[in-house]
Amino acid sequence: MKAVLLVGGMGTRLRPLTYRIPKPLIPVIGKPLIMHVIDSLPKEVDEVIIPIGYKKKSMEEYLVKNPPRRKITLVDEHEPMGTGGAVKNVEDHIDGRFLVINGDSISSLDIAKLIDFHRTKKAFATISLWPVENPTPYGVVDLDVDKRIRRFQEKPKREEAFSNLINAGAYALEREILDYIGKGFVSMEREVFPKVLDRGMYGMEFEGYWIDCGRREDLLRAFWTLMGNDMVHIDRRCVHEGAVVRGPVTARAESVIAGAVIGPRAYISERAVVGPASTVERSVLLEDARVGTRCTIVDSIVDAGVTVPDGARITSHILSNAGPDAE
Ligand code: GDD
Ligand code: MG
């Protein structure tokens, strides 16, 4: 079975980090976001197809350096085709029932279960569903007792939302759905889903977690969710005199925690340094980041290789040296 991974977005809300690195390659607890998704695919998925335009080169380089166990095919998308258009664009690679996954979230969804559910319901399309408080930035469903979707609406007004159950962005689809996708820019959610409701579209709810990693605070939440509670993963050699570590904290190899306060909630990547009398709380330091002395870093992400000058206070920020022309 093939899976199409949608990663075409520009990740604008994660700038300036996404000037340096495309969102799918942002390391979340040491593994690119997209690899979390790919690794969650069941065995029966023998090929992952990724339509891609923006920053294709960095993706190719990553795959060459870190060859995945599964076949991954990158297909050129010269300009953004929309979520439906991107799928249509790779139709020659799709040979039967297939999956489509939005590559910008991490979740505990059991995709094998989604496929089973789809089979059992003899569905034309099955989408995964997640409950949220405010459904307006998402696709929202009206579900009947048999879990059949009666109506689907993308980004409704608050008062018009059918329910608080939203499209979590993982679909099992019959190949014939491709016939419902026209040429050019097509939105799967706005144009295709509403058209196939009467062919049998179903929704499967799941439990655990689902995090759309579009914004800094969500990306940080992905770290804390995957790290779990109360865990301290830290090599004693990294912790120097006077340091205070409050879990959950992970500090990777060759990082240096000088007499600093780390956590609660901190992820210190390889070779990152936290100087004396500094605090790093609810924050992530990517590789080789250097936090000087007497700094305070809260709810923030410090990009790889960035130096935070002594005494700096960084709150709710993504700190990166990368700008719009970063290669
Ligand atoms: N290849 C390609 N081409 N991928 C695209 C394109 C495109 O033109 N446009 C968007 N994508 C990718 C994004 O990178 C993302 O992984 C996924 O498709 C969904 O697009 P977003 O732009 O992130 O949409 P959204 O977050 O506003 O809404 C979508 O996701 C929600 C859940 O996070 C919809 O599917 C909603 O219905 C859903 O609730
Ligand atoms: Mg999104």
Side-chain angles (χ1 to χ4, degrees):
M1 183 183 265
K2 316 287 183 211
V4 180
L5 215 58
L6 296 176
V7 295
M10 306 268 283
T12 49
R13 291 171 304 171
L14 290 173
R15 283 177 181 167
L17 181 56
T18 44
Y19 282 134
R20 179 178 71 83
I21 185 168
K23 184 157 89 174
L25 289 183
I26 292 178
V28 180
I29 62 158
K31 183 161 93 173
L33 181 54
I34 199 183
M35 293 314 292
H36 286 276
V37 180
I38 290 175
D39 289 347
S40 78
L41 296 170
K43 275 211 194 75
E44 64 185 291
V45 174
D46 53 8
E47 185 180 358
V48 179
I49 297 144
I50 308 179
I52 189 166
Y54 180 67
K55 300 247 175 178
K56 179 179 178 207
K57 225 173 76 194
S58 7
M59 189 78 79
E60 279 170 340
E61 280 167 12
Y62 174 82
L63 293 173
V64 168
K65 276 194 210 140
N66 306 274
R69 265 165 293 160
R70 222 181 302 247
K71 182 171 176 199
I72 298 192
T73 306
L74 303 182
V75 180
D76 277 317
E77 185 179 333
H78 298 291
E79 55 190 84
M81 307 284 287
T83 46
V87 173
K88 184 76 175 171
N89 191 36
V90 299
E91 71 177 334
D92 293 346
H93 297 261
I94 299 169
D95 51 7
R97 182 175 293 156
F98 67 109
L99 302 170
V100 172
I101 322 255
N102 288 354
D104 61 354
S105 51
I106 59 151
S107 81
S108 55
L109 171 69
D110 181 340
I111 292 173
K113 257 195 195 161
L114 182 79
I115 300 168
D116 269 353
F117 180 99
H118 178 84
R119 268 195 206 111
T120 313
K121 294 291 185 189
K122 298 192 170 45
F124 190 69
T126 302
I127 73 176
S128 54
L129 300 175
W130 183 256
V132 294
E133 243 162 58
N134 173 17
T136 54
Y138 303 106
V140 182
V141 301
D142 173 13
L143 203 63
D144 77 9
V145 284
D146 190 36
K147 308 295 177 193
R148 185 163 177 168
I149 296 172
R150 282 189 289 231
R151 291 177 293 174
F152 182 95
Q153 194 184 4
E154 185 62 19
K155 303 191 174 47
K157 293 200 185 104
R158 188 94 194 228
E159 61 278 12
E160 286 169 7
F162 307 131
S163 71
N164 69 338
L165 273 182
I166 63 128
N167 166 20
Y171 322 134
L173 304 170
E174 294 302 297
R175 193 178 190 284
E176 209 194 320
I177 200 167
L178 295 167
D179 300 341
Y180 290 79
I181 308 177
K183 289 245 173 316
F185 188 98
V186 179
S187 160
M188 195 71 150
E189 299 85 347
R190 292 178 194 278
E191 298 168 66
V192 183
F193 287 163
K195 272 196 294 197
V196 301
L197 288 171
D198 57 0
R199 292 295 308 268
M201 185 164 162
Y202 287 80
M204 189 189 88
E205 297 146 273
F206 65 99
E207 283 175 3
Y209 61 87
W210 177 80
I211 301 170
D212 177 339
C213 299
R215 300 172 306 168
R216 172 188 44 81
E217 50 272 44
D218 304 319
L219 186 60
L220 286 171
R221 197 152 50 87
F223 274 80
W224 317 143
T225 303
L226 294 174
M227 275 163 61
N229 287 325
D230 304 322
M231 297 294 272
V232 174
H233 288 285
I234 194 160
D235 183 331
R236 273 184 40 222
R237 280 169 302 184
C238 301
V239 183
H240 294 243
E241 205 181 318
V244 178
V245 176
R246 304 193 178 117
V249 162
T250 297
R252 306 286 297 165
E254 293 176 65
S255 57
V256 177
I257 319 288
V261 181
I262 303 295
R265 300 202 197 286
Y267 187 93
I268 315 293
S269 304
E270 285 78 359
R271 300 171 306 279
V273 176
V274 187
S278 289
T279 300
V280 176
E281 192 179 331
R282 296 192 305 272
S283 296
V284 169
L285 307 187
L286 294 178
E287 292 115 79
D288 303 290
R290 298 184 75 87
V291 173
T293 62
R294 291 172 287 100
C295 295
T296 309
I297 316 278
V298 181
D299 295 316
S300 295
I301 298 167
V302 181
D303 195 6
V306 168
T307 299
V308 181
D310 295 348
R313 304 176 70 87
I314 313 287
T315 307
S316 306
H317 217 75
I318 298 178
L319 206 65
S320 173
N321 293 328
D325 342 306
E327 244 312 284

